[in-house]
Amino acid sequence: MYRDMLLLRFFEERALRVFLEGAVVGTCHAGIGQEAIPVGIFSVLRPDDYAVSTHRGHGHMLAKGADPRRVMAELFGRRDGYAGGRGGSQHMACFEVGFLGSNGITGGGIPIATGAALACKMKRNGRVVVSFLGDGASNQGTFHESLNMAAIWKLPVIYACENNLYAMSSPWSEMAAVKDVAERGAAYGIPAEVVDGNDVLAVRESTARAAARARSGEGPTLIEFKTYRFCGHSRSDTMPYRTREEEAEWLIRCPILRFSERLRSLGILDDSSEAKLRSDAMRIVADAEEFARNSPEPDPESVAEGLFA
Amino acid sequence: MREITYARAIREALAQEMRRDPNVFCMGEDIALYGGAFKVTEGLLDEFGPERVRNTPISEGSITGVATGAAMLGMRPVLELMFCDFLALAADQILNHAAKFRHVYGQQVRVPLTIRTPSGGGRGYGPTHSQSLETWFMRVPGLKIACPASSADAKGLLTTAIRDDNPVLFIENKMLYSLKGDVPEGEHLVPFGKAAILRRGDDLTIAAYSRMSVESLKAASILAGEGISAEVIDLRTLCPLDVDTVVASAQRTGRLLIVEEGTITCGLGAELGFRVFERIWDYLECPPRRLACPDVPIPCNTKLEAAILPSAVKIVDEARAMMEAG
Ligand SMILES: Cc1ncc(C[n+]2csc(CCOP(=O)(O)OP(=O)(O)O)c2C)c(N)n1
Ligand SMILES: [Mg+2]
């Protein structure tokens, strides 16, 4: 898990760097600071469970088992990317590992995840679907409509809300009159809990409870993970809407730092094993970047390919 | 072959496909016990049970997304939207999700989703329950659109839609539900993208779809009495659009009239008329003409409604004017 968190962190840092260099065009939403959530979630789910993501999905995808090389290649818009250069940062899927796609429409993936859970229930395959969403997305109608449907049909879905306190520039506290997103679960008869999203073990435990509920036919769970995005929303963001003090407070609560301290206090991690994990993760990221840079540009002739099955 | 209504033909296609493939299921508002607002799914609950004839909450946006998500994992949902006007609430899921996923996700996925919905006026339901919005969706790459004008096509096109691996918008028509016609009893498929020539003629070509094909046929028989021989083409699907059949016909007759029930601006007439014009303008005796609803909301009052919706009588007038023009 620790290595996965490092991988996500280094990957996003690298992605932002190449983006600033101009090698990656369009947009690029990184999840720096939020790594504990996908890593914790997928550490307890089964490989054949599913996930539907948001516009900030690189980390979700990597934690689900997608190939960092192909994710990076997609950021570069190259032929070997998961969408062959058609999707970019916020439209990637890897069905082989059950990652059903990131999504450029805020809240758009929530009914998709709910429908995937309906399919799982109808097929009686015992699988669970994770529906990632942001605090901002919880103000979309799709969130409310989907939670209601999942509740009446007892669908095997976990709504994983990453509340990083902001939706672009909008503070959660100004965009909702309730204190926690989790309060909204009650409106639909869905059990909900607030979890420290920067504590990977807490993420893991809450997910395990929700997955057990889902698999035993008891239906959906809403988990609100409190977290913080260390980087800007996207490239142009200079973050005038939050204070440097607030950022500093959250930096101390860095999920990677905290997990490292925890592992060290348990005697599982020391300087040399940490250095090894870091260099392993770094190597994977460097390799992904090299792969992406060497991947050919897609052929413009092929642009309409695959529109219809 | 026996005569059944358009509504029953649709139900028959649903039942036959649900028997054939366990992944096919229906969902929508009030479709189970109640049988849907137009009773199209009546009786299916008894045979297939509530899991496969699934009532949903009134959440058009998200039920469309839910059906899409289920389709991505191999189910073949047939979603009923009670009125086509409600496509506005479902538009994001159709346009930004169902129709795009295959292409933007690098062909990793198929979305075998069918959305059935009735369009059209004629019943005095007024501005939010009478529109024909299907031509909006002609501009959504990745989406197919079928719009049957007869009972046989209702069954055949729906069967094709359900077996298609792409999202299909299946446009029914409220005024046609009770129309009877011969329908094959067993499996019946009508391919997409192949227009039907409903009546042969030499003086002008009338291209239409859904209820306007029926009105065009009525108009053609009136015109025949006046010595005007009209060819009537029922397009059957708007995407794919069978431009070739229309071109071949208009090239021979020299005149093209396009009839549709939706509003005129940027409608089928604008698109099809231009596509034909750019290919065979030098064969045409006069410019292609469009008969459609003017750009106003559809009123409740029967006389007001009749004033704006195209009809056989208006088609006849338009055709006469074209014959006089050249
Ligand atoms: C329907 C829609 N509205 C607005 C946007 C623009 N937008 C992209 S991300 C975003 C903020 C989303 O906030 P949140 O759900 O909290 O996720 P976060 O970015 O914090 O991870 C906005 C407004 C969009 N992509 N889609
Ligand atoms: Mg947020």
Side-chain angles (χ1 to χ4, degrees):
Chain A
M1 277 202 289
Y2 188 63
R3 203 219 61 179
D4 286 349
M5 287 167 73
L6 291 171
L7 173 65
L8 266 57
R9 172 69 56 95
F10 296 159
F11 185 94
E12 295 284 49
E13 287 175 346
R14 185 67 63 109
L16 282 183
R17 192 180 326 142
V18 293
F19 184 65
L20 290 174
E21 277 170 17
V24 169
V25 296
T27 192
C28 183
H29 300 126
I32 299 175
Q34 306 183 184
E35 296 87 354
I37 300 165
V39 170
I41 287 175
F42 297 121
S43 73
V44 277
L45 292 184
R46 300 176 188 161
D48 62 359
D49 288 328
Y50 296 106
V52 175
S53 174
T54 65
H55 57 288
R56 200 177 298 289
H58 311 157
H60 303 157
M61 190 167 185
L62 293 171
K64 187 78 181 84
D67 180 353
R69 298 168 137 206
R70 296 194 61 197
V71 179
M72 191 66 92
E74 188 58 39
L75 291 178
F76 276 78
R78 299 300 168 83
R79 201 183 294 176
D80 297 307
Y82 273 113
R86 287 160 176 82
S89 169
Q90 49 183 348
H91 313 96
M92 274 189 243
C94 176
F95 278 72
E96 278 160 60
V97 300
F99 183 78
L100 309 183
S102 46
N103 197 308
I105 302 294
T106 305
I110 307 171
I112 302 293
T114 308
L118 174 62
C120 291
K121 178 151 184 154
M122 290 181 78
K123 288 168 180 272
R124 294 174 175 75
N125 62 16
R127 298 181 188 178
V128 167
V129 182
V130 178
S131 176
F132 285 101
L133 62 122
D135 47 290
S138 81
N139 286 334
Q140 283 283 32
T142 49
F143 171 78
H144 299 269
E145 295 180 352
S146 296
L147 261 68
N148 181 52
M149 255 181 282
I152 57 175
W153 296 337
K154 293 203 182 328
L155 300 182
V157 53
I158 302 171
Y159 296 102
C161 178
E162 300 173 303
N163 185 347
N164 56 11
L165 310 188
Y166 297 89
M168 275 178 77
S169 70
S170 305
W172 165 248
S173 59
E174 285 177 24
M175 293 298 142
V178 289
K179 182 170 155 284
D180 299 317
V181 175
E183 289 176 51
R184 293 178 163 174
Y188 306 103
I190 294 184
E193 55 178 311
V194 177
V195 171
D196 180 347
N198 286 12
D199 176 352
V200 70
L201 298 177
V203 171
R204 213 179 125 82
E205 283 154 22
S206 60
T207 306
R209 283 190 293 275
R213 259 180 56 76
R215 284 193 228 280
S216 66
E218 289 170 71
T221 305
L222 169 63
I223 313 177
E224 176 181 5
F225 298 108
K226 300 280 193 194
T227 187
Y228 201 75
R229 133 170 87 62
F230 290 172
C231 50
H233 168 75
S234 60
R235 170 158 61 175
S236 54
D237 187 2
T238 55
M239 295 177 277
Y241 47 84
R242 63 189 206 190
T243 63
R244 303 297 86 89
E245 292 73 39
E246 182 184 275
E247 289 169 7
E249 256 171 54
W250 277 94
L251 276 173
I252 304 170
R253 284 181 260 169
C254 168
I256 295 179
L257 206 66
R258 280 171 59 188
F259 194 37
S260 157
E261 280 164 9
R262 181 76 177 269
L263 292 173
R264 282 167 189 267
S265 73
L266 294 171
I268 300 170
L269 191 75
D270 59 23
D271 285 350
S272 82
S273 56
E274 164 122 30
K276 163 104 178 49
L277 290 174
R278 281 180 178 265
S279 73
D280 284 353
M282 206 46 109
R283 195 170 330 108
I284 295 171
V285 171
D287 169 65
E289 183 187 341
E290 193 187 317
F291 176 83
R293 286 190 190 275
N294 292 330
S295 172
E297 291 276 355
D299 176 5
E301 296 278 307
S302 73
V303 68
E305 259 171 33
L307 186 56
F308 289 107
Chain B
M1 209 68 110
R2 76 259 109 96
E3 276 216 331
I4 56 172
T5 63
Y6 185 94
R8 203 176 133 201
I10 293 167
R11 187 182 315 136
E12 200 167 272
L14 291 171
Q16 287 180 358
E17 289 308 292
M18 285 170 82
R19 276 175 217 134
R20 176 178 174 270
D21 180 350
N23 291 321
V24 177
F25 73 103
C26 295
M27 57 186 277
E29 296 160 16
D30 303 290
I31 65 161
L33 183 65
Y34 194 74
F38 294 95
K39 304 289 177 209
V40 174
T41 54
E42 196 164 50
L44 293 181
L45 176 68
D46 291 340
E47 182 174 350
F48 300 102
E51 192 172 42
R52 293 179 74 198
V53 184
R54 183 177 290 266
N55 273 340
T56 71
I58 308 165
S59 307
E60 285 79 8
S62 295
I63 59 180
T64 307
V66 164
T68 302
M72 289 165 79
L73 292 193
M75 302 301 291
R76 305 188 89 86
V78 183
L79 173 68
E80 175 175 308
L81 294 181
M82 200 181 276
F83 285 83
C84 98
D85 313 69
F86 310 159
L87 278 168
L89 288 98
D92 173 58
Q93 284 295 329
I94 297 172
L95 157 79
N96 285 318
H97 297 80
K100 281 197 176 55
F101 280 158
R102 180 168 178 76
H103 189 250
V104 306
Y105 292 153
Q107 304 174 48
Q108 293 180 64
V109 65
R110 291 160 195 258
V111 183
L113 162 69
T114 303
I115 302 175
R116 299 178 33 242
T117 191
S119 33
R123 288 183 172 232
Y125 290 155
T128 61
H129 290 67
S130 308
Q131 299 169 90
S132 299
L133 300 179
E134 53 278 358
T135 53
W136 278 11
F137 291 88
M138 289 175 72
R139 306 186 71 226
V140 177
L143 181 68
K144 297 186 180 181
I145 308 172
C147 9
S150 67
S151 300
D153 277 3
K155 179 171 178 180
L157 289 171
L158 182 56
T159 306
T160 304
I162 294 170
R163 295 190 196 178
D164 197 293
D165 278 334
N166 301 285
V168 179
L169 183 57
F170 187 82
I171 298 293
E172 302 172 4
N173 184 281
K174 301 178 197 89
M175 299 293 283
L176 296 183
Y177 278 136
S178 55
L179 186 89
K180 283 194 168 175
D182 284 338
V183 179
E185 270 170 63
E187 183 172 275
H188 175 52
L189 288 114
V190 172
F192 284 6
K194 285 225 172 336
I197 299 175
L198 300 183
R199 183 186 172 118
R200 294 276 174 190
D202 302 318
D203 297 331
L204 99 151
T205 301
I206 306 176
Y209 69 92
S210 192
R211 186 167 74 88
M212 288 304 123
S213 294
V214 178
E215 291 296 301
S216 299
L217 266 185
K218 288 185 205 158
S221 51
I222 299 171
L223 288 165
E226 302 177 9
I228 299 172
S229 158
E231 177 142 309
V232 177
I233 297 177
D234 173 30
L235 294 164
R236 283 180 162 154
T237 56
L238 298 183
C239 179
L241 184 61
D242 184 0
V243 181
D244 290 346
T245 297
V246 181
V247 163
S249 170
Q251 187 166 355
R252 197 168 46 74
T253 64
R255 295 179 188 84
L256 174 62
L257 171 62
I258 300 157
V259 189
E260 64 191 303
E261 205 180 319
T263 45
I264 191 159
T265 301
C266 297
L268 172 72
E271 179 62 29
L272 180 60
F274 196 80
R275 286 210 213 175
V276 172
F277 180 78
E278 63 190 356
R279 279 173 59 180
I280 55 160
W281 60 274
D282 47 343
Y283 287 85
L284 298 178
E285 307 282 341
C286 62
R289 286 177 84 134
R290 295 175 287 168
L291 183 61
C293 182
D295 295 326
V296 291
I298 298 175
C300 276
N301 174 285
T302 307
K303 286 201 175 118
L304 292 179
E305 193 181 29
I308 61 167
L309 293 183
S311 62
V313 174
K314 292 181 193 174
I315 297 169
V316 169
D317 289 345
E318 206 65 29
R320 279 195 204 118
M322 287 178 80
M323 296 307 294
E324 281 158 21

